[in-house]
Amino acid sequence: MQLDGLEKALKFLKDNNLEMKVLFDEDLIATNTYNIMGIPRTIFIDISGNISYDREGIIDEKMLKTNIEKIIQ
């Protein structure tokens, strides 16, 4: 059985015991608002709606942790 993108993402979170809020842009609202073109692309958006980090391409664990810490402070 093949999983779709949403199911794969949820399975990854569960399998890796990750408890964080993840939003899926199924209606392409964020895609259109932030003009997202590339895949994969990682965008960290702070509580005020400002982009604090934007990267097209794969990011490593250090980049992920650093940027999560930056926006939750």
Side-chain angles (χ1 to χ4, degrees), residues 39-56:
I39 297 176
R41 185 166 180 182
T42 303
I43 301 173
F44 290 89
I45 302 171
D46 67 22
I47 197 163
S48 299
N50 300 309
I51 296 174
S52 66
Y53 183 79
D54 181 354
R55 163 98 182 207
E56 223 173 280

Side-chain angles (χ1 to χ4, degrees), residues 1 10 13 34 63:
M1 172 176 66
L10 294 173
L13 292 169
Y34 294 101
M63 286 174 149

Side-chain angles (χ1 to χ4, degrees), residues 3-24 26:
L3 300 177
D4 71 10
L6 177 62
E7 290 171 321
K8 282 182 183 178
L10 294 173
K11 182 178 181 330
F12 177 84
L13 292 169
K14 184 178 179 184
D15 291 350
N16 290 281
N17 199 29
L18 298 171
E19 293 184 27
M20 61 184 160
K21 188 172 189 173
V22 177
L23 304 176
F24 298 94
E26 295 177 279

